[in-house]
């Protein structure tokens, strides 16, 4: 779909070398320096009104830093092989690392604001707009390290965790696939329709092409995954979490019992998936049902929807829910904030990347005309 919409990142900055981008980076760094001068060593003993002022200052730093790092991550997501996008991402990640180091003191000192202390505040406290945030931060107090340790973690993550994630994205974003009878130089997203073809031989060749494309990178990607997991585990051990899910569950404000119930519910219902595939094998009349049959259309070829048709279906569905929502969806999809088609170097899958007001989110898709792609559009909206 060569004419399908792409992101207009000029809504944020004109280019990676836009002077406004560097000015925002400099402003964020300056605000962080002033913040440390104003508040370091005082957070634990601040009166509620003063802490509210400090939190407002902290918000201003995050607002100033958000747009450059957001622009960099978006530019990289659609051009992972572009040296300019890679350099900008590294530059803004360096800024984020410096800010985390400069602000580490605040989160360490904030541990003095315990849930009990927060609960004792009157209903009309100046901290009312930030109470959820403060309770949320308090939940991490027992796992917060010293200021120097937190600064060290922020420093090492720049060349550690963040660098490994960037490497994974860069490697996987650059892989292309050749499918006999299906095309050459295909992206991972473009394999989707071939994997759902009624032609079983084509499905098998597509699966084999997928495996062949990843094969040269198998060791690298496994090493990246194992390194990231070990970094995660060591960080959890240092912070005293019970297991490797501890931080993530707390971050998502989930009770571990909910997570355990989800795992148990899934594991005890594996037979349902086995029954499903047995029924699919019967519907497809296959005695040798294989991995490349998992997405085969069991009852004939599924309908296809190009981008314009998908937009019409989804906006109509939104409008049926509420006419204002339907109008909003139609306007948003013409706003330059949606990147539709798969192409080499673009991140696979789909996501909605939020900004901070007044910036609207940006939507990444890899629409290849499947019904699944239509559902992805609706979901991300």
């Amino acid at each position: 779909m060569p004419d399908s919409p792409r992101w207009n990142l000029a809504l944020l900055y004109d280019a990676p070398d836009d002077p406004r981008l560097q000015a925002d980076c400099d402003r964020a760094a300056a605000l962080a320096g002033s913040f440390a001068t104003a508040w370091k060593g005082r957070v634990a003993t601040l009166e509620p009104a003063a802490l509210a002022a400090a939190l407002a200052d902290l918000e201003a730093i995050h607002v100033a830093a958000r747009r450059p790092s957001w622009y960099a991550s978006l530019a990289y997501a659609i051009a992972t092989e572009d040296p300019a996008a890679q350099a900008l991402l590294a530059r803004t990640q360096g800024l984020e690392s410096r800010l985390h180091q400069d602000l580490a003191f605040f989160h360490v000192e904030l541990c003095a604001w315990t849930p009990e202390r927060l609960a004792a505040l009157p209903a009309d406290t100046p901290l009312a707009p930030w109470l959820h945030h403060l309770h949320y931060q308090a939940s991490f107090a027992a796992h917060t390290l010293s200021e120097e340790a937190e600064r060290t973690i922020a420093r090492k993550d720049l060349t550690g965790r963040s660098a490994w994630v960037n490497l994974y994205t860069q490697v996987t974003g650059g892989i292309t696939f050749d499918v006999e009878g299906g095309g050459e130089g295909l992206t991972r997203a473009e394999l989707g329709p071939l994997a759902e073809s009624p032609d079983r031989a084509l499905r098998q060749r597509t699966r084999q092409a997928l495996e062949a494309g990843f094969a040269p990178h198998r060791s690298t990607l496994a090493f990246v995954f194992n390194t990231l997991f070990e970094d995660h585990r060591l960080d959890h051990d240092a912070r005293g979490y019970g297991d490797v899910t501890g931080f993530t569950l707390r971050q998502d404000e989930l009770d571990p019992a909910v997570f355990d119930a989800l795992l148990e519910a899934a594991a005890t219902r594996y037979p349902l998936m086995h029954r499903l595939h047995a029924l699919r094998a019967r519907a497809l009349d296959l005695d040798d049902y294989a991995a490349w049959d998992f997405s085969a259309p069991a009852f004939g070829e599924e309908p296809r929807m190009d981008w314009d048709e998908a937009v019409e279906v989804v906006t109509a569905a939104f409008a049926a829910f509420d006419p204002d929502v339907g109008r909003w969806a139609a306007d948003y999809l013409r706003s330059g904030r949606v990147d539709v088609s798969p192409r080499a170097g673009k991140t696979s899958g789909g996501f909605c990347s939020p900004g901070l007001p007044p910036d609207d989110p940006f939507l990444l898709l890899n629409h290849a005309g499947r019904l699944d792609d239509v559902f992805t559009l609706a979901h991300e909206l």
Side-chain angles (χ1 to χ4, degrees), residues 175-177 207-217:
I175 299 175
T176 58
F177 308 90
R207 176 75 180 206
Q208 291 167 339
L210 178 69
E211 294 172 354
F214 275 95
H217 311 285

Side-chain angles (χ1 to χ4, degrees), residues 59-362:
E59 282 187 356
I61 298 170
H62 286 298
V63 169
R66 171 58 177 165
R67 184 176 272 205
S69 61
W70 189 36
Y71 175 84
S73 68
L74 293 172
Y76 182 67
I78 56 173
T80 59
E81 297 178 298
D82 180 12
Q86 295 169 7
L88 179 61
L89 184 69
R91 179 152 60 100
T92 57
Q93 287 180 337
L95 170 67
E96 291 176 335
S97 176
R98 292 193 299 275
L99 293 179
H100 287 153
Q101 293 173 59
D102 290 345
L103 302 174
F105 79 91
F106 185 79
H107 299 289
V108 173
E109 295 181 29
L110 198 62
C111 293
W113 286 81
T114 63
E116 295 75 19
R117 186 175 176 184
L118 294 171
L121 293 170
D124 61 349
T125 176
L127 289 170
W130 292 280
L131 278 179
H132 177 265
H133 174 74
L134 290 170
H135 279 287
Y136 178 74
Q137 292 299 326
S139 71
F140 294 97
H143 308 286
T144 300
L145 306 177
S146 68
E147 179 188 345
E148 187 51 42
E150 296 290 352
R151 289 175 61 89
T152 299
I153 290 172
R155 280 196 298 270
K156 68 91 179 169
D157 278 350
L158 179 62
T159 53
R161 181 182 304 172
S162 297
W164 288 114
V165 171
N166 292 347
L167 174 62
Y168 177 90
T169 304
Q170 187 173 331
V171 170
T172 56
I175 299 175
T176 58
F177 308 90
D178 299 331
V179 182
E180 181 185 347
E184 297 182 354
L186 302 176
T187 67
R188 189 173 180 182
E190 289 171 322
L191 293 182
L194 304 180
E196 297 176 359
S197 170
D199 183 343
R200 193 184 190 208
L202 179 58
R203 294 199 305 269
Q204 182 176 2
R205 294 196 300 273
T206 300
R207 176 75 180 206
Q208 291 167 339
L210 178 69
E211 294 172 354
F214 275 95
H217 311 285
R218 182 185 297 119
S219 297
T220 300
L221 297 179
F223 186 82
V224 169
F225 178 86
N226 291 333
T227 300
L228 283 169
F229 180 81
E230 185 63 9
D231 178 270
H232 180 77
R233 186 189 68 78
L234 291 172
D235 189 60
H236 269 53
D237 286 350
R239 295 183 181 280
Y241 287 105
D243 62 47
V244 293
T245 66
F247 171 75
T248 305
L249 295 179
R250 198 173 297 271
Q251 185 182 41
D252 291 338
E253 301 182 79
L254 280 176
D255 188 319
V258 174
F259 179 65
D260 292 340
L262 173 63
L263 290 182
E264 182 181 3
T268 56
R269 287 162 178 79
Y270 288 160
L272 288 176
M273 186 58 68
H274 300 162
R275 286 181 59 202
L276 169 66
H277 284 291
L279 288 169
R280 285 179 51 78
R282 189 189 310 169
L284 292 165
D285 194 25
L286 294 175
D287 294 327
D288 58 343
Y289 186 76
W292 44 84
D293 301 313
F294 288 176
S295 300
F299 305 104
E301 188 170 5
E302 292 186 350
R304 310 272 301 160
M305 281 196 191
D306 64 23
W307 174 245
D308 290 337
E309 291 175 300
V311 168
E312 184 177 344
V313 167
V314 171
T315 53
F318 276 43
F321 170 73
D322 182 278
D324 287 340
V325 176
R327 282 190 288 271
W328 168 83
D331 290 342
Y332 176 81
L333 292 172
R334 295 190 295 266
S335 69
R337 295 177 180 273
V338 185
D339 201 288
V340 174
S341 298
R343 56 187 180 273
K346 180 179 174 181
T347 303
S348 62
F351 62 71
C352 177
S353 180
L356 293 174
D359 289 319
D360 287 330
F362 279 77

